[in-house]
Amino acid sequence: MNAEKTFARADKQFNAKNYDAALKTLEKLKRYEPSFKKTYILESMIWKELNNYVKELAAAEKALSLLKLDKPEERNQAVSALVLIAYALANLGMTEEAVEKIRLVIKNTEKKELALLSLSSAIYYGSYLENFSDESLREFYAGYKKLLANIKPYPRKFYDHEKIRVGFLSSDLCWHPVLKWTWPLLTSLDKNRFVSCFYANVEKPDNLTDIVRSHADVWRDILNLTDEQAAKLIRDDEIDILFDLNGHTTDNRLPVAMYHPASVQLSGIGYVNSTGLDCFEYFLADVHCASKPEYFVEKFIVLPHSQGCYDLREDVDPAEYPPCVKNNFVTFGCFNQFKKINASMLAAWKAIMEAVPGSRLLLKNGIFSMEDGKKFASERLKNFGFDLDRVELRGWTATHPADYNDVDIALDTFPYTGVTTTAEALYMGVPVVSLYSDRFGTRLGRSILNNVGLYELAVDSYEEYIKRAVALANDWELLTILKKNLRPMMKKSPLMDAKLYVSDMQDAFIKILNEQKNLWREKNFLEGSR
């Protein structure tokens, strides 16, 4: 067997998305050439595409065991293995280990683009870690800025447009949670006062992309443009305010913003932390989630109600009664990303279940759709002391919102809270208990709950978190009342008041543009008078 030719066949099958055939080809290759290193890299990539993070991790670790980072001819492959390992670890909830692997990627890669992506990932993953140090955050921010130090920003320029030209920079203008929180903003700005321009870095456009595009005054696809080319488009379009909706999340185009092509630049909604980049003057917040300003490079622009407006894409009726009435036991649930569930959360949940005899825990995530993922999570819970007979691990279902009818009380995660899942739960009549601290990313659950009027369910200590969950579990009458009233409460709240939200955002746009224009004029006046 010719290993190179066999691998080439598997690679071709992979690129054609014929994953089963590619895996079979690689199995043959492993039998005849078990030490052929590229085999395991490709195998890991296939498992990544199939969302089987357990097998992705195993294959990537096997590849790394055959490679040497200190050998120049093997370094690129070893770095590729590290990237795959980090991604798998993060999705399996082993975020600290993932960040350490990313450090190795940053240290060993010679590719600037990969280094930038890795630094963004490290910064993003830091939001999942309860004890992620300020020192580590500053280290990654500095590394990111250093790689972009050669970018020369455009000279600051303000325009006298009749209408304010707002540019939205995002990769998530498609079926994505970000769209659920920005829909009125993206489709309903007052066209008498604003011009909506979109800079879409969308890899897989869909029907929602088409709808947003139909509302756009200007639409630019920048997926295949360089950062410099995209920045020039924005500059040529004379954008007054550029609103980045990605931050350090997947497929971001932060380097475009580093050129500072717009008069004023703002970030927020899609990301829960500072970008660490002084090319942004502002970060979007609201009165409930604004945190200590020292954690941010940007200045907060604080909305009076909610930083986002929840727009429902699917509408399923909640059950008439909470499931405890039928089951005769309480079911706690969490549908947040599995990587948000850390040891501290598990300890709190275990304490809650111990305080509520007979209670159950329902966890739902795509990782549980595969036996490997379910087995991995079960082992983790078992090692933590959970009785697995009282835990259900449920994969994704076609009728997702209806699954909230199987939950009495939703338990939010910390420090990276749920956002869309919290709104989904409340809309389905399920109360959510959320924990917050002085960091922005921990306060999004608080913002949602406060906007609905459930102030007492957002707490600032693990002790109170446990107490509130247990108290709710012991009050089935209150659970029944909430089941019937949470949806009406939410519909009447700022969370779903599109007209109010758009008005708040328009006021914010006007405020930050005038504020920055006045500062710029003052600066020019002082410099001119010297």
Side-chain angles (χ1 to χ4, degrees):
M1 174 181 284
N2 185 305
E4 286 291 350
K5 286 185 178 180
T6 305
F7 177 81
R9 184 165 68 253
D11 192 44
K12 185 177 180 180
Q13 292 164 335
F14 168 73
N15 290 322
K17 301 186 185 303
N18 193 349
Y19 300 132
D20 287 341
L23 286 170
K24 288 177 182 177
T25 302
L26 291 177
E27 281 302 313
K28 292 178 182 177
L29 186 53
K30 283 194 287 185
R31 283 199 299 272
Y32 288 98
E33 291 280 354
S35 60
F36 192 74
K37 299 158 189 175
K38 291 190 291 186
T39 300
Y40 303 97
I41 298 285
L42 183 57
E43 182 186 1
S44 183
M45 291 168 63
I46 294 169
W47 290 122
K48 178 185 176 184
E49 291 297 316
L50 294 172
N51 297 321
N52 190 323
Y53 309 119
V54 176
K55 287 184 175 175
E56 176 194 352
L57 178 61
E61 286 182 331
K62 175 64 176 178
L64 190 61
S65 72
L66 299 171
L67 296 161
K68 302 293 182 184
L69 273 169
D70 56 1
K71 285 187 176 182
E73 67 273 16
E74 294 186 355
R75 184 172 296 152
N76 286 342
Q77 287 187 65
V79 166
S80 296
L82 284 168
V83 170
L84 289 161
I85 290 170
Y87 182 86
L89 287 170
N91 281 286
L92 291 170
M94 302 166 71
T95 316
E96 285 186 52
E97 295 91 334
V99 171
E100 291 310 307
K101 296 301 181 187
I102 289 172
R103 286 184 190 276
L104 288 174
V105 172
I106 296 165
K107 180 181 177 181
N108 288 281
T109 186
E110 297 174 351
K111 299 176 181 177
K112 179 180 175 180
E113 185 177 351
L114 178 56
L116 278 172
L117 290 172
S118 298
L119 284 160
S120 266
S121 295
I123 294 166
Y124 173 58
Y125 290 154
S127 302
Y128 291 82
L129 297 175
E130 193 171 0
N131 300 312
F132 196 61
S133 69
D134 293 341
E135 182 183 352
S136 291
L137 203 51
R138 284 193 294 268
E139 172 197 344
F140 291 132
Y141 282 150
Y144 194 91
K145 287 189 285 187
K146 185 178 179 181
L147 286 173
L148 299 175
N150 64 327
I151 289 178
K152 185 179 179 181
Y154 283 101
R156 197 80 183 272
K157 187 176 182 179
F158 287 86
Y159 309 94
D160 292 316
H161 296 137
E162 188 176 317
K163 301 177 184 179
I164 296 174
R165 298 176 67 82
V166 179
F168 297 99
L169 177 64
S170 178
S171 65
D172 300 328
L173 303 171
C174 54
W175 185 262
H176 189 279
V178 166
L179 217 58
K180 289 189 176 184
W181 291 97
T182 58
W183 190 261
L185 174 64
L186 302 182
T187 61
S188 303
L189 279 182
D190 183 354
K191 289 190 177 292
N192 292 316
R193 294 191 292 161
F194 295 87
V195 177
S196 296
C197 307
F198 292 84
Y199 300 92
N201 194 54
V202 185
E203 189 171 346
K204 296 178 180 179
D206 55 26
N207 64 311
L208 294 183
T209 308
D210 294 337
I211 296 173
V212 176
R213 190 200 303 260
S214 72
H215 289 275
D217 296 301
V218 176
W219 182 277
R220 311 288 195 195
D221 289 307
I222 64 168
L223 184 66
N224 297 315
L225 298 185
T226 66
D227 297 324
E228 186 174 5
Q229 289 170 335
K232 187 178 186 303
L233 267 184
I234 296 168
R235 184 70 168 189
D236 290 346
D237 286 337
E238 296 188 352
I239 297 301
D240 294 302
I241 300 169
L242 182 65
F243 193 173
D244 161 61
L245 298 172
N246 272 101
H248 284 282
T249 59
T250 304
D251 296 328
N252 74 74
R253 295 300 296 269
L254 289 176
V256 173
M258 287 290 285
Y259 285 88
H260 211 297
S263 303
V264 181
Q265 300 192 161
L266 162 74
S267 189
I269 298 184
Y271 179 57
V272 299
N273 208 339
S274 172
T275 63
L277 304 174
D278 53 14
C279 63
F280 291 103
E281 286 79 30
Y282 297 96
F283 192 94
L284 188 68
D286 63 45
V287 292
H288 307 289
C289 66
S291 59
K292 287 186 175 181
E294 56 262 37
Y295 293 135
F296 278 73
V297 171
E298 309 88 345
K299 178 182 178 182
F300 283 131
I301 177 67
V302 182
L303 299 187
H305 302 100
S306 173
Q307 64 148 355
C309 184
Y310 185 63
D311 183 88
L312 196 67
R313 295 286 101 192
E314 59 277 287
D315 199 353
V316 177
D317 289 332
E320 187 175 357
Y321 295 98
C324 59
V325 174
K326 176 183 68 176
N327 297 332
N328 208 32
F329 58 79
V330 169
T331 301
F332 297 101
C334 181
F335 293 3
N336 296 7
Q337 295 178 42
F338 185 70
K339 58 187 170 187
K340 291 184 178 182
I341 303 172
N342 55 35
S344 296
M345 267 334 355
L346 290 176
W349 294 352
K350 187 167 180 287
I352 290 168
M353 293 184 71
E354 287 174 349
V356 184
S359 60
R360 303 289 194 272
L361 177 64
L362 169 58
L363 302 180
K364 181 182 179 184
N365 192 266
I367 191 175
F368 308 137
S369 297
M370 294 194 177
E371 282 304 314
D372 291 311
K374 190 177 287 188
K375 182 179 178 182
F376 177 89
S378 296
E379 285 298 316
R380 186 179 176 195
L381 291 167
K382 183 179 179 182
N383 292 339
F384 223 89
F386 280 84
D387 178 356
L388 296 184
D389 290 336
R390 295 172 63 188
V391 178
E392 180 187 349
L393 303 177
R394 187 179 297 182
W396 289 128
T397 58
T399 55
H400 170 67
D403 287 343
Y404 286 99
N405 285 328
D406 295 331
V407 177
D408 292 292
I409 301 161
L411 300 175
D412 202 1
T413 47
F414 178 90
Y416 203 141
T417 67
V419 182
T420 302
T421 49
T422 298
E424 287 173 343
L426 295 174
Y427 196 76
M428 291 300 293
V430 180
V432 182
V433 182
S434 188
L435 175 63
Y436 68 90
S437 70
D438 58 0
R439 289 189 177 271
F440 183 91
T442 70
R443 303 169 73 85
L444 299 177
R446 178 180 187 261
S447 174
I448 293 170
L449 290 167
N450 285 3
N451 270 292
V452 177
L454 300 172
Y455 298 89
E456 66 279 3
L457 294 185
V459 297
D460 61 1
S461 71
Y462 279 106
E463 182 181 13
E464 283 301 312
Y465 179 89
I466 294 167
K467 282 183 180 179
R468 296 298 162 90
V470 172
L472 268 179
N474 289 325
D475 194 340
W476 291 15
E477 182 180 356
L478 177 57
L479 289 176
T480 301
I481 293 171
L482 289 172
K483 190 71 175 176
K484 294 179 179 179
N485 289 284
L486 275 179
R487 180 173 289 193
M489 289 169 64
M490 191 170 170
K491 283 184 173 181
K492 292 177 183 177
S493 78
L495 282 181
M496 297 188 75
D497 190 334
K499 186 176 179 181
L500 175 66
Y501 178 64
V502 172
S503 176
D504 286 348
M505 282 300 309
Q506 290 179 162
D507 289 346
F509 286 150
I510 293 167
K511 178 181 178 180
I512 64 177
L513 182 58
N514 287 337
E515 186 173 277
Q516 287 298 311
K517 188 179 289 187
N518 290 336
L519 288 172
W520 177 71
R521 286 171 175 166
E522 183 180 328
K523 180 184 176 184
N524 284 349
F525 175 78
L526 291 174
E527 289 178 352
S529 62
R530 287 175 184 169

